[in-house]
PDB file of all heavy atoms in Angstrom:
ATOM      1  N   HIS Z 463      13.166 -46.209 -27.678  1.00 97.00           N
ATOM      2  CA  HIS Z 463      13.449 -47.317 -28.550  1.00 97.00           C
ATOM      3  C   HIS Z 463      14.120 -46.772 -29.811  1.00 97.00           C
ATOM      4  O   HIS Z 463      13.575 -45.920 -30.481  1.00 97.00           O
ATOM      5  CB  HIS Z 463      12.257 -48.051 -28.986  1.00 97.00           C
ATOM      6  CG  HIS Z 463      11.550 -48.699 -27.702  1.00 97.00           C
ATOM      7  ND1 HIS Z 463      11.739 -49.888 -27.176  1.00 97.00           N
ATOM      8  CD2 HIS Z 463      10.536 -48.117 -26.933  1.00 97.00           C
ATOM      9  CE1 HIS Z 463      10.960 -50.148 -26.166  1.00 97.00           C
ATOM     10  NE2 HIS Z 463      10.272 -49.044 -25.962  1.00 97.00           N
ATOM     11  N   CYS Z 521      12.954 -52.567 -33.442  1.00 98.00           N
ATOM     12  CA  CYS Z 521      13.717 -51.830 -32.356  1.00 98.00           C
ATOM     13  C   CYS Z 521      15.069 -52.392 -32.316  1.00 98.00           C
ATOM     14  O   CYS Z 521      15.282 -53.689 -32.350  1.00 98.00           O
ATOM     15  CB  CYS Z 521      13.050 -52.144 -30.904  1.00 98.00           C
ATOM     16  SG  CYS Z 521      14.064 -51.388 -29.750  1.00 98.00           S
ATOM     17  N   ILE Z 523      17.231 -52.220 -29.912  1.00 98.00           N
ATOM     18  CA  ILE Z 523      17.572 -52.806 -28.676  1.00 98.00           C
ATOM     19  C   ILE Z 523      17.524 -54.262 -28.958  1.00 98.00           C
ATOM     20  O   ILE Z 523      16.279 -54.828 -29.092  1.00 98.00           O
ATOM     21  CB  ILE Z 523      16.688 -52.384 -27.545  1.00 98.00           C
ATOM     22  CG1 ILE Z 523      16.973 -50.839 -27.151  1.00 98.00           C
ATOM     23  CG2 ILE Z 523      16.912 -53.170 -26.268  1.00 98.00           C
ATOM     24  CD1 ILE Z 523      16.074 -50.339 -26.045  1.00 98.00           C
ATOM     25  N   HIS Z 526      15.014 -56.496 -27.181  1.00 97.00           N
ATOM     26  CA  HIS Z 526      13.615 -56.247 -27.706  1.00 97.00           C
ATOM     27  C   HIS Z 526      13.407 -56.838 -28.964  1.00 97.00           C
ATOM     28  O   HIS Z 526      12.289 -57.460 -29.184  1.00 97.00           O
ATOM     29  CB  HIS Z 526      13.334 -54.783 -27.690  1.00 97.00           C
ATOM     30  CG  HIS Z 526      13.351 -53.994 -26.435  1.00 97.00           C
ATOM     31  ND1 HIS Z 526      13.157 -52.763 -26.258  1.00 97.00           N
ATOM     32  CD2 HIS Z 526      13.501 -54.456 -25.170  1.00 97.00           C
ATOM     33  CE1 HIS Z 526      13.216 -52.405 -25.008  1.00 97.00           C
ATOM     34  NE2 HIS Z 526      13.445 -53.440 -24.345  1.00 97.00           N
ATOM     35  N   MET Z 531      10.015 -57.397 -30.898  1.00 98.00           N
ATOM     36  CA  MET Z 531       9.638 -56.066 -31.340  1.00 98.00           C
ATOM     37  C   MET Z 531      10.197 -55.842 -32.711  1.00 98.00           C
ATOM     38  O   MET Z 531      11.190 -55.145 -32.901  1.00 98.00           O
ATOM     39  CB  MET Z 531      10.174 -55.056 -30.321  1.00 98.00           C
ATOM     40  CG  MET Z 531       9.512 -53.638 -30.527  1.00 98.00           C
ATOM     41  SD  MET Z 531      10.129 -52.425 -29.375  1.00 98.00           S
ATOM     42  CE  MET Z 531       9.494 -52.853 -27.759  1.00 98.00           C
TER      43      MET Z 531
HETATM   44 CU1   CU V 615      12.955 -51.383 -27.856  1.00 91.13          CU
END
Side-chain angles (χ1 to χ4, degrees):
H463 301 271
C521 174
I523 290 178
H526 291 178
M531 200 182 283

